Amino acid sequence: MIAMLCSYPRCLDHSKSFGSHCYRNYFTVLGLFCVYFLHTIFASSQYFSLLVPIRSYSSSVPLTAETYADKVQRNQAYKKLDEGDLAYFQSILEPNQIISNNEDDLAFYNEDWMRKYRGQSKLLLKPKTTEQVSEILKYCNSNKLAVVPQGGNTGLVGGSIPVFDEIILSLSSLNKIRSFDNVSGIFKCDAGVILETADQYLAEQGYIFPLDLGAKGSCHVGGVVATNAGGLRLIRYGSLHGTVLGLEVVLADGTIVNSLDSLRKDNTGYDLKQLFIGSEGSLGVITGVSILCPARPQAVNVAVLAVDSYESVQKVFNDARKELSEILSAFEFMDETSQILVSKYLKLDHPIESDSYPFYILIETSGSNKEHDDEKLETFLGNAMENGIVLDGIIAQDETQLRSLWNWRENIPEASQMQGGVYKYDVSIPLKDLYGLVEAANEKLEAAGLVDFEDISKPVVKAVGYGHIGDGNLHLNVAVRKYSKEVEKVLEPFVYEWIQSKKGSISAEHGLGFQKKNYIQYSKSPVEIALIKDIKHHYDPNGILNPYKYV
Amino acid sequence: MIAMLCSYPRCLDHSKSFGSHCYRNYFTVLGLFCVYFLHTIFASSQYFSLLVPIRSYSSSVPLTAETYADKVQRNQAYKKLDEGDLAYFQSILEPNQIISNNEDDLAFYNEDWMRKYRGQSKLLLKPKTTEQVSEILKYCNSNKLAVVPQGGNTGLVGGSIPVFDEIILSLSSLNKIRSFDNVSGIFKCDAGVILETADQYLAEQGYIFPLDLGAKGSCHVGGVVATNAGGLRLIRYGSLHGTVLGLEVVLADGTIVNSLDSLRKDNTGYDLKQLFIGSEGSLGVITGVSILCPARPQAVNVAVLAVDSYESVQKVFNDARKELSEILSAFEFMDETSQILVSKYLKLDHPIESDSYPFYILIETSGSNKEHDDEKLETFLGNAMENGIVLDGIIAQDETQLRSLWNWRENIPEASQMQGGVYKYDVSIPLKDLYGLVEAANEKLEAAGLVDFEDISKPVVKAVGYGHIGDGNLHLNVAVRKYSKEVEKVLEPFVYEWIQSKKGSISAEHGLGFQKKNYIQYSKSPVEIALIKDIKHHYDPNGILNPYKYV
């Protein structure tokens, strides 16, 4: 189906010879691979604007307090902000560090990126120093004023948005790069530095930030750490638990914990900073980050491949881990429907236009020697073609094409909701069972008579699956024509129960936030949940940090 | 000086042309590099027996309680073991899981590897299941019986040895491999599995344990995690905080925390397992480990290079990070004296025999394609030679030579103490200052008139430096002819103060244990120490786990 949309003759010719099994010499696969040309309309800057649309700050987003009135109510133990509090904050901050009582100015900070949650905060504070963060928290803790720490506000689970009238503590003015050591690769910055700014700075030094994600133009380094973001290259550079070397954190009572030392190894005492990585602002506020950055790869290749089954996806992954090994920097998969939706959304033909296939794989390699990487990829793909596992494929020939191929993966979230809305689940499942959740969700929706790809009288278009298969991380997007309780009832708790039955996680990389606060029991045992609640109470006995969320 | 010892004509000829700056075409460096032949006497099995000598279990090791009587006394809050306790343990364990009151049988477990510490435990328990560990700890906690968890007993800081009469809880019988997923690379095992056993199992599946160290023939996987060991390839595979995916831990009160799920990403709740990585048995007992293993490299190269200064060591490291990038798996440095000592110890000529140089570098590359790796290394070394940074060098041509080259790095600890003894410091220091500690120590010892390499009337031979420079990790070994209070007074607290002044860590990878319990303030702030003590008290209020150590 996708192939019929193709209008690039050069691409068509090559991919036909590549896809039609007349392949003879795998040493020339690169030459046979389709040279890929898409309009530059989706070059990176525009791409990000697609993902982070300019928002009109109307009140069209329903208030969280009203939408979820049956689930959450304001905790009356928290003090309501008064003039005295405001006077205190005015005494320690400059006027431009405070936004209060102006609904329009506060709207951006009260609403989430997905326009799903809206809080009612009347006060936003923008500290410029760690000491100011400390003074603010000390005051709030003493006075039982609830606080929401907020970074770039790009989260997907309502974690950085107030639920009621919590004070918003924005880290956006704490935004200086502190240091970089170009021998050790250790980078230190304030929490509010934007990820893309950090990466651009590092690029100039020949280094790379060891994490990348779609929202990098807006999200903060501190927010990325606070939510333990995973992103696109975890398979290569590993988790933040391994790469973050130190943190500066302010505890609920205002205590500043400075563990920002630049050491790759330090076995003196418990590694307490780890608790704050992924704590979503519920244990303390991260104000500074020290992180180990690898040398920037000098050669990057991207290929998109077509296979006929989920088993083949796993097989290709297994082979890629062995054969591409040290140069493999991303391994993503997308199912057929996800690509059909992106094709409609982009109004473009799919890069593999010769036919439509059940599954597509995006492979990225990053290395220090272009010639070597090309040869490795060529050999790998040649073997995969010869074995009949990979049925068709395409390799980007330049930076623009590389970006364009990534677009077919990265635009799935937008494409999934273009027909009305989308129910999103970000889950970890052991690899062999991973795609089973998508099939199970579709079967369940079909059994309930709710799904049809064409029939607009049905609420559900289809459940699609894609994600970071190299990390066992599935994004299940249920594309719908409208949100409805009927659909929700079919999906939940079914999806969570299914994940639990496979010993998976209901949050792989997006976090718990407000959305999943009541579902942690599907991924953690009662003992684990008790320990988590115990630590929360231990560090934040008044519960002032990011209430109504997490656990 | 080293070069004069050489007796391998083939090696001599080649290295002369290589080392004498008549080098013309860097594309042929591999050919010019000396083909390295050492007798196979130091092949791996014998090598490990050198590191882990068979011990006679006499009482020649002084009792810790006597040696350090001025620093530590038995805490009378702990109950003394009685017949009732023994009867309880006999009721839950088989006879072969208990050693009690037999000094000879207990000697191995009461003494440390370095024969520096000796405890007086009268009871050793070897649980075979996690439930047995739980029952033991529950009983000990209720009865305030102190416990030392013990793995392979290969630590260097007295962490796994009782100080007084603590019960030894050996994990050696909890030693089953639980599972391996050859798609995801996730390996699960009991804590008592020996590291080498785990790695050999993984090798058969085409995978590698993401950590390697000299004691791998004896140390346990659980012990490696409990001490957050670093080892030889941290530069490539990263820290255990990134690679360990899950732990099964028994808390002091016997609570079993099972977080062994096989997920690379899981953002549901605080990552509590991290607290136990590097806690040295003071917070809980690790009984199971889930860890992500990379594909085993199909090609490994090892080269030893000679340079004229520590600045050149840093320069070569910086270039190697950029040019060898993804295939760099070890970057070690050794100073001149360390190599002279190894040469005496091994009674062999140094592999680079053309001359003696101030510093040597060992580079290991691991990749998926031998030809590519050879070419990268060749180009890299060619550039380094042409720029005059690397003055001489040698590349292993086969597995035996590779092992032999590693021996010149790995035998430094043994060689340092062959003249009588050694004061060992394992420290992290920002790279630019790292070797300064060795120079400062030698200056201090010289000023005190205590050091002479030849004059046997002086107590100190010399301070030598080597280590994992890729990780900013220096091993400072002060080789002495005898231990003396005079030398100790010159070295301490001088060494710790020097490290503190450079914002380094007094323990990079060996841990605190008993040895450094009183020195943590040189690396951690009062706020950090207070938080560490607070967590210890929170999880182990009776202090039964590994007392008299850590903090």
Side-chain angles (χ1 to χ4, degrees):
Chain A
M1 181 185 297
I2 295 175
M4 294 170 63
L5 302 170
C6 184
S7 60
Y8 302 107
R10 187 177 173 193
C11 174
L12 192 70
D13 291 349
H14 282 283
S15 67
K16 265 188 180 166
S17 69
F18 178 78
S20 60
H21 303 279
C22 63
Y23 169 73
R24 281 177 294 269
N25 181 347
Y26 66 76
F27 286 109
T28 61
V29 170
L30 273 187
L32 289 174
F33 261 73
C34 178
V35 176
Y36 182 40
F37 253 106
L38 275 186
H39 301 301
T40 54
I41 191 167
F42 296 106
S44 64
S45 63
Q46 281 157 299
Y47 166 71
F48 284 112
S49 73
L50 280 174
L51 279 184
V52 188
I54 303 300
R55 297 181 290 186
S56 64
Y57 301 115
S58 74
S59 58
S60 67
V61 181
L63 287 174
T64 306
E66 289 174 2
T67 314
Y68 299 95
D70 55 334
K71 290 184 179 169
V72 65
Q73 294 186 322
R74 188 182 183 284
N75 182 344
Q76 298 307 327
Y78 298 126
K79 183 185 176 191
K80 289 198 176 177
L81 191 76
D82 63 25
E83 287 303 316
D85 303 322
L86 197 58
Y88 173 77
F89 295 124
Q90 284 165 340
S91 78
I92 61 166
L93 300 174
E94 301 291 319
N96 65 3
Q97 295 179 260
I98 300 175
I99 303 178
S100 64
N101 286 317
N102 183 325
E103 206 167 322
D104 279 354
D105 289 351
L106 284 165
F108 176 86
Y109 305 97
N110 263 321
E111 288 174 21
D112 81 317
W113 184 95
M114 302 290 287
R115 302 179 62 75
K116 191 173 175 188
Y117 303 104
R118 184 156 66 98
Q120 304 164 70
S121 180
K122 299 282 183 274
L123 178 65
L124 175 113
L125 304 175
K126 290 188 181 183
K128 286 181 177 171
T129 66
T130 302
E131 290 67 30
Q132 286 180 346
V133 175
S134 169
E135 288 178 87
I136 291 166
L137 287 184
K138 194 174 176 183
Y139 181 86
C140 290
N141 190 49
S142 301
N143 291 280
K144 296 200 171 49
L145 284 160
V147 176
V148 185
Q150 190 176 86
N153 201 2
T154 60
L156 293 164
V157 290
S160 59
I161 297 297
V163 178
F164 296 99
D165 58 345
E166 301 92 277
I167 295 170
I168 303 171
L169 181 67
S170 167
L171 279 301
S172 57
S173 294
L174 199 65
N175 58 3
K176 290 190 179 51
I177 289 170
R178 296 194 189 184
S179 67
F180 179 67
D181 179 334
N182 70 1
V183 176
S184 64
I186 296 170
F187 174 76
K188 291 184 190 178
C189 70
D190 289 347
V193 169
I194 288 172
L195 179 58
E196 196 165 43
T197 306
D199 191 56
Q200 281 169 353
Y201 173 91
L202 288 162
E204 288 163 16
Q205 323 276 328
Y207 285 80
I208 188 170
F209 199 92
L211 176 143
D212 191 18
L213 41 74
K216 71 176 168 183
S218 303
C219 69
H220 293 181
V221 170
V224 159
V225 175
T227 55
N228 189 27
L232 303 166
R233 296 192 181 89
L234 189 129
I235 194 173
R236 175 64 169 275
Y237 301 120
S239 134
L240 290 171
H241 287 288
T243 52
V244 170
L245 299 181
L247 291 180
E248 182 186 72
V249 176
V250 182
L251 301 182
D253 66 0
T255 302
I256 298 173
V257 187
N258 183 344
S259 302
L260 261 192
D261 290 337
S262 306
L263 303 170
R264 182 153 185 181
K265 287 180 174 175
D266 178 17
N267 272 356
T268 54
Y270 310 129
D271 197 354
L272 291 171
K273 71 169 184 288
Q274 299 285 352
L275 286 181
F276 300 93
I277 300 175
S279 65
E280 302 182 31
S282 68
L283 275 192
V285 177
I286 294 171
T287 52
V289 174
S290 167
I291 191 163
L292 185 69
C293 300
R296 203 168 191 91
Q298 287 159 45
V300 178
N301 282 321
V302 170
V304 169
L305 317 176
V307 297
D308 65 357
S309 68
Y310 180 65
E311 284 62 40
S312 293
V313 173
Q314 291 179 78
K315 178 101 185 63
V316 176
F317 173 57
N318 215 4
D319 292 345
R321 287 227 326 172
K322 284 182 182 148
E323 293 178 40
L324 299 176
S325 184
E326 69 276 8
I327 60 166
L328 188 63
S329 56
F331 193 102
E332 304 279 314
F333 93 110
M334 303 88 84
D335 68 10
E336 183 176 19
T337 313
S338 76
Q339 296 299 280
I340 294 171
L341 291 174
V342 176
S343 192
K344 281 188 180 180
Y345 176 69
L346 297 182
K347 297 187 175 61
L348 283 173
D349 303 335
H350 194 271
I352 296 178
E353 86 297 352
S354 58
D355 204 347
S356 186
Y357 297 92
F359 290 94
Y360 297 86
I361 294 164
L362 184 149
I363 288 181
E364 183 190 79
T365 67
S366 304
S368 55
N369 184 309
K370 173 79 174 140
E371 207 175 298
H372 291 170
D373 292 3
D374 286 353
E375 194 183 319
K376 284 193 182 85
L377 189 57
E378 181 177 343
T379 306
F380 166 72
L381 294 173
N383 290 340
M385 290 286 293
E386 215 161 53
N387 297 337
I389 302 165
V390 168
L391 304 177
D392 204 343
I394 198 164
I395 294 182
Q397 299 298 309
D398 59 34
E399 178 64 25
T400 305
Q401 293 172 20
L402 185 151
R403 248 341 305 155
S404 299
L405 281 185
W406 264 114
N407 277 338
W408 288 86
R409 157 66 184 83
E410 296 210 70
N411 276 305
I412 300 173
E414 297 289 323
S416 299
Q417 63 182 3
M418 66 181 283
Q419 309 208 30
V422 61
Y423 291 96
K424 293 176 77 71
Y425 300 92
D426 154 56
V427 308
S428 277
I429 300 173
L431 271 188
K432 66 177 169 42
D433 297 317
L434 187 136
Y435 194 72
L437 176 60
V438 183
E439 294 167 332
N442 273 320
E443 281 165 21
K444 191 92 176 166
L445 290 162
E446 273 164 25
L450 297 173
V451 60
D452 195 295
F453 195 76
E454 305 291 347
D455 181 354
I456 59 168
S457 73
K458 303 288 185 184
V460 180
V461 181
K462 195 155 185 181
V464 308
Y466 64 98
H468 320 295
I469 200 164
D471 313 324
N473 183 184
L474 171 74
H475 295 312
L476 166 67
N477 280 8
V478 182
V480 293
R481 296 186 174 87
K482 60 176 182 181
Y483 292 109
S484 84
K485 284 283 173 197
E486 200 182 2
V487 173
E488 275 174 41
K489 276 185 189 162
V490 171
L491 291 173
E492 296 180 20
F494 169 76
V495 167
Y496 296 126
E497 285 169 351
W498 200 94
I499 295 164
Q500 184 180 36
S501 75
K502 305 296 181 189
K503 299 190 174 175
S505 168
I506 61 159
S507 174
E509 59 177 6
H510 292 174
L512 293 167
F514 180 78
Q515 185 190 335
K516 297 180 192 167
K517 175 183 161 59
N518 297 320
Y519 299 110
I520 187 171
Q521 72 277 11
Y522 288 104
S523 289
K524 288 279 188 282
S525 68
V527 169
E528 291 172 294
I529 294 170
L531 287 171
I532 289 166
K533 289 189 170 179
D534 167 70
I535 281 286
K536 164 70 179 174
H537 182 72
H538 190 70
Y539 283 109
D540 181 19
N542 293 330
I544 63 157
L545 288 174
N546 223 358
Y548 316 111
K549 296 168 192 161
Y550 206 69
V551 285
Chain B
M1 182 185 294
I2 296 175
M4 293 170 63
L5 302 172
C6 183
S7 61
Y8 302 108
R10 190 177 172 195
C11 174
L12 193 68
D13 292 350
H14 282 282
S15 65
K16 265 188 181 166
S17 70
F18 179 76
S20 60
H21 303 278
C22 64
Y23 168 72
R24 283 176 294 269
N25 181 347
Y26 66 75
F27 287 108
T28 62
V29 170
L30 270 188
L32 290 174
F33 260 73
C34 179
V35 176
Y36 183 40
F37 252 109
L38 275 185
H39 302 301
T40 55
I41 191 168
F42 296 105
S44 65
S45 63
Q46 281 157 299
Y47 166 69
F48 284 112
S49 73
L50 281 175
L51 279 184
V52 189
I54 304 299
R55 296 182 290 185
S56 64
Y57 300 114
S58 73
S59 57
S60 68
V61 181
L63 288 174
T64 307
E66 290 174 2
T67 315
Y68 299 95
D70 55 332
K71 290 184 180 168
V72 65
Q73 294 185 323
R74 188 182 184 283
N75 182 344
Q76 299 306 327
Y78 298 126
K79 183 185 175 190
K80 288 196 176 178
L81 191 75
D82 62 26
E83 286 304 315
D85 303 322
L86 197 58
Y88 173 75
F89 295 124
Q90 284 166 341
S91 77
I92 61 166
L93 301 173
E94 301 291 320
N96 66 3
Q97 295 179 259
I98 300 175
I99 303 178
S100 64
N101 287 318
N102 183 325
E103 205 166 323
D104 279 354
D105 289 351
L106 283 165
F108 176 87
Y109 306 97
N110 263 322
E111 289 174 18
D112 81 317
W113 184 94
M114 301 291 287
R115 301 179 64 73
K116 191 173 175 186
Y117 303 104
R118 185 157 66 97
Q120 302 165 69
S121 180
K122 299 283 184 272
L123 178 64
L124 174 113
L125 304 175
K126 290 187 179 184
K128 287 182 176 170
T129 65
T130 302
E131 290 68 29
Q132 286 180 345
V133 175
S134 169
E135 287 178 87
I136 292 166
L137 288 184
K138 193 173 177 185
Y139 180 85
C140 290
N141 191 50
S142 301
N143 292 279
K144 295 198 173 51
L145 283 159
V147 176
V148 186
Q150 189 176 88
N153 201 2
T154 60
L156 293 165
V157 290
S160 59
I161 298 297
V163 178
F164 297 100
D165 58 345
E166 302 92 278
I167 295 170
I168 302 170
L169 181 66
S170 167
L171 279 302
S172 56
S173 293
L174 198 66
N175 57 3
K176 290 192 178 51
I177 288 170
R178 298 194 187 184
S179 67
F180 178 67
D181 179 334
N182 70 2
V183 176
S184 66
I186 295 170
F187 174 76
K188 290 184 191 178
C189 70
D190 289 348
V193 169
I194 288 170
L195 179 57
E196 197 166 44
T197 307
D199 190 55
Q200 281 169 353
Y201 173 90
L202 288 162
E204 287 163 17
Q205 323 276 328
Y207 285 80
I208 188 169
F209 198 93
L211 176 143
D212 190 18
L213 41 74
K216 72 176 169 186
S218 304
C219 69
H220 293 183
V221 169
V224 158
V225 174
T227 56
N228 189 28
L232 303 166
R233 295 190 182 89
L234 188 130
I235 194 173
R236 174 62 170 275
Y237 301 121
S239 135
L240 290 171
H241 287 289
T243 53
V244 169
L245 299 181
L247 292 179
E248 182 186 73
V249 176
V250 182
L251 301 182
D253 66 1
T255 302
I256 298 172
V257 187
N258 184 345
S259 301
L260 262 191
D261 290 337
S262 306
L263 304 169
R264 184 154 182 179
K265 286 181 176 175
D266 178 18
N267 272 357
T268 54
Y270 309 129
D271 196 353
L272 291 172
K273 71 169 184 287
Q274 300 285 352
L275 286 181
F276 300 94
I277 301 175
S279 66
E280 302 183 30
S282 67
L283 275 192
V285 176
I286 294 171
T287 52
V289 174
S290 168
I291 190 163
L292 183 69
C293 300
R296 203 167 192 90
Q298 288 159 44
V300 177
N301 282 322
V302 170
V304 170
L305 316 176
V307 297
D308 64 358
S309 68
Y310 179 65
E311 284 62 43
S312 292
V313 173
Q314 292 178 78
K315 178 102 187 61
V316 176
F317 173 57
N318 215 6
D319 292 345
R321 286 225 331 169
K322 285 181 183 151
E323 293 178 40
L324 299 175
S325 185
E326 69 276 9
I327 61 167
L328 188 63
S329 56
F331 192 102
E332 304 280 314
F333 92 111
M334 303 89 84
D335 67 10
E336 183 176 20
T337 313
S338 76
Q339 296 300 278
I340 294 172
L341 291 174
V342 176
S343 191
K344 280 188 181 183
Y345 176 69
L346 297 182
K347 297 187 176 62
L348 284 174
D349 304 335
H350 194 271
I352 296 178
E353 83 299 349
S354 58
D355 203 348
S356 186
Y357 297 93
F359 290 94
Y360 297 87
I361 294 164
L362 185 150
I363 287 181
E364 184 191 78
T365 66
S366 304
S368 57
N369 185 309
K370 172 79 174 142
E371 206 175 299
H372 291 170
D373 292 3
D374 286 353
E375 194 184 319
K376 283 192 183 85
L377 189 57
E378 182 178 343
T379 306
F380 167 71
L381 294 173
N383 290 339
M385 290 286 293
E386 215 162 53
N387 297 337
I389 302 164
V390 168
L391 304 177
D392 204 343
I394 199 163
I395 294 181
Q397 299 298 310
D398 59 34
E399 178 65 24
T400 306
Q401 294 171 19
L402 185 150
R403 249 341 307 155
S404 298
L405 282 186
W406 264 114
N407 276 338
W408 288 85
R409 157 64 184 84
E410 297 210 71
N411 276 305
I412 301 173
E414 295 291 323
S416 299
Q417 64 183 1
M418 67 181 282
Q419 310 207 30
V422 62
Y423 291 96
K424 293 176 76 73
Y425 301 91
D426 155 56
V427 308
S428 277
I429 300 172
L431 270 189
K432 68 177 166 40
D433 296 318
L434 187 135
Y435 194 71
L437 176 59
V438 184
E439 294 168 331
N442 274 319
E443 281 165 22
K444 190 91 175 167
L445 290 162
E446 274 164 27
L450 297 172
V451 59
D452 195 295
F453 195 75
E454 304 292 346
D455 182 355
I456 59 167
S457 72
K458 301 289 187 184
V460 180
V461 180
K462 195 155 185 182
V464 307
Y466 64 99
H468 319 295
I469 200 164
D471 314 323
N473 182 183
L474 170 75
H475 295 311
L476 165 67
N477 281 7
V478 182
V480 294
R481 297 188 172 88
K482 59 177 182 182
Y483 292 110
S484 84
K485 284 282 174 198
E486 200 182 2
V487 173
E488 274 173 42
K489 275 185 190 163
V490 171
L491 290 173
E492 295 179 22
F494 168 75
V495 166
Y496 296 125
E497 286 170 352
W498 199 95
I499 295 163
Q500 184 180 36
S501 75
K502 304 297 180 188
K503 298 190 174 174
S505 168
I506 61 159
S507 175
E509 59 177 5
H510 293 172
L512 294 168
F514 179 78
Q515 185 190 337
K516 298 180 192 167
K517 175 184 161 58
N518 296 319
Y519 298 109
I520 188 172
Q521 72 277 10
Y522 288 104
S523 289
K524 288 280 189 285
S525 68
V527 169
E528 291 173 293
I529 295 171
L531 287 170
I532 288 166
K533 289 189 171 180
D534 167 70
I535 281 286
K536 164 70 179 174
H537 182 73
H538 190 69
Y539 283 109
D540 182 18
N542 294 331
I544 64 157
L545 287 173
N546 222 359
Y548 316 112
K549 296 168 192 159
Y550 207 69
V551 286

